[in-house]
Amino acid sequence: MTVNHTSHSEEAVYVYEAPLRLWHWVNAFAILALAGTGYLIGSPPPSVGGDASASFVFGWIRYLHFAAGYVLIAGFAFRIYWAFAGNEHARQLFLPPVWRGRFWREVWHEVLWYAMLVKEPIKYSGHNPLATIAMHILFVWFTIFMIVTGLALYGEGTGMDSWQHTLFSSRVIPLFGQSQDVHTWHHLGMWVIICFVIIHIYVAVREDIMSRQTIISSMFSGWRTFRGNGAPPDSR
C-alpha cells in the first residue's frame, strides 16, 4: 500500500495587539447600538398609550443612542492614541501611504482580485492597500463626520451654556443651513456606515476563505496565519 504525504505549512504573524482588539469589539457594539437607536429616532415607533411616566420607551432609545455615542467618541480618541502607542499595524488606517506609486498599483491589484480577474492575492500581514484606503475614508473620516454632527445635534438639547452647543451646535448647524439639514446628513451618514459594515464583514469572510489567511480569528487572537504553500506574508 502506498501512502501519499502532502506537505502543509503555515506562517503566523502577530498583528493586532490586545488593546486594539478590545477597541474593535467595543466599537462594533457601539456602532450597532447607534445604528439601531438612530434608525428608531429617525423613524419613531408608534406612541404608547397611557401615562408618560409608565412608558419611557423613546426616552430610553435616546438615552442609549447618546450613551453609545460617547462610547464611540471615547473609543475613537483611544484609537488615535493607539495609532502612536501601538505597533505599525495600529497606524495603518490613519496614515495610508498615498504618496507611493507602489501603493496605488497594489490597490489596483486588489480591485482586480475582488473582481475575480486575477488568480492569486498578495498576502499582507495587516490590511491590504484597498482595505486601508477604504477604511481610512469610510471609517476614519465618516466617524469624525458622525461625531461632529452628532454632538451638534446633541448640543441643541443640552442648551446654549453647554460645551456641546458652544463648540459644535453654534458652528456646525449654521454651516449646514439649519438643524433639520444636520439631521438629514447625520441620518445619511448612518446608512453609509451600515453599508460599510456589511461590506467589511463580507470581505473579511471572503478573504478568510479565498486568500487562505485568518482574517476573522486574528481579531480575536491577534495572530494572522497564512495557510497554503508556505508563501511568505507581505509584512509592509
Side-chain angles (χ1 to χ4, degrees):
M1 181 177 68
T2 302
V3 179
N4 293 323
H5 296 279
T6 58
S7 62
H8 175 76
S9 63
E10 292 186 353
E11 296 187 28
V13 179
Y14 188 64
V15 179
Y16 302 121
E17 298 162 299
L20 192 147
R21 301 196 309 271
L22 177 62
W23 164 83
H24 176 274
W25 293 112
V26 171
N27 188 70
F29 284 112
I31 289 176
L32 181 64
L34 283 165
T37 55
Y39 176 81
L40 292 174
I41 290 172
S43 302
S47 299
V48 180
D51 190 83
S53 62
S55 179
F56 197 59
V57 176
F58 201 74
W60 279 109
I61 290 172
R62 286 169 53 84
Y63 172 77
L64 290 174
H65 190 77
F66 300 151
Y70 276 111
V71 170
L72 181 78
I73 293 169
F76 192 71
F78 168 78
R79 186 64 180 85
I80 294 174
Y81 161 75
W82 198 254
F84 297 95
N87 61 18
E88 61 177 313
H89 303 292
R91 63 186 67 98
Q92 270 190 303
L93 301 186
F94 294 90
L95 295 171
V98 294
W99 57 89
R100 297 178 184 171
R102 180 181 183 180
F103 174 79
W104 291 107
R105 289 192 296 271
E106 291 177 348
V107 166
W108 179 242
H109 180 275
E110 292 303 316
V111 171
L112 296 177
W113 163 246
Y114 287 122
M116 300 184 182
L117 297 176
V118 293
K119 293 183 179 180
E120 293 292 334
I122 300 174
K123 294 185 178 182
Y124 301 87
S125 56
H127 295 296
N128 68 55
L130 181 60
T132 299
I133 196 69
M135 295 185 74
H136 178 75
I137 297 171
L138 295 174
F139 173 71
V140 174
W141 288 107
F142 262 92
T143 297
I144 293 172
F145 175 82
M146 295 300 283
I147 289 173
V148 170
T149 54
L151 286 173
L153 295 171
Y154 185 70
E156 290 187 294
T158 56
M160 297 180 66
D161 293 333
S162 66
W163 64 268
Q164 295 95 335
H165 189 280
T166 302
L167 295 178
F168 295 95
S169 304
S170 63
R171 302 178 183 183
V172 175
I173 292 176
L175 186 65
F176 280 82
Q178 59 176 329
S179 176
Q180 186 56 47
D181 293 331
V182 182
H183 275 276
T184 300
W185 282 104
H186 191 71
H187 191 76
L188 290 173
M190 176 196 75
W191 285 110
V192 170
I193 290 180
I194 288 174
C195 291
F196 164 76
V197 169
I198 293 171
I199 295 170
H200 178 64
I201 294 172
Y202 161 74
V203 169
V205 174
R206 179 187 187 275
E207 288 300 281
D208 216 305
I209 298 170
M210 295 188 65
S211 68
R212 298 183 60 76
Q213 51 185 314
T214 54
I215 304 295
I216 299 172
S217 63
S218 65
M219 199 48 74
F220 290 96
S221 68
W223 289 88
R224 177 157 296 171
T225 302
F226 299 85
R227 304 182 294 267
N229 299 322
D234 187 295
S235 58
R236 289 171 298 220

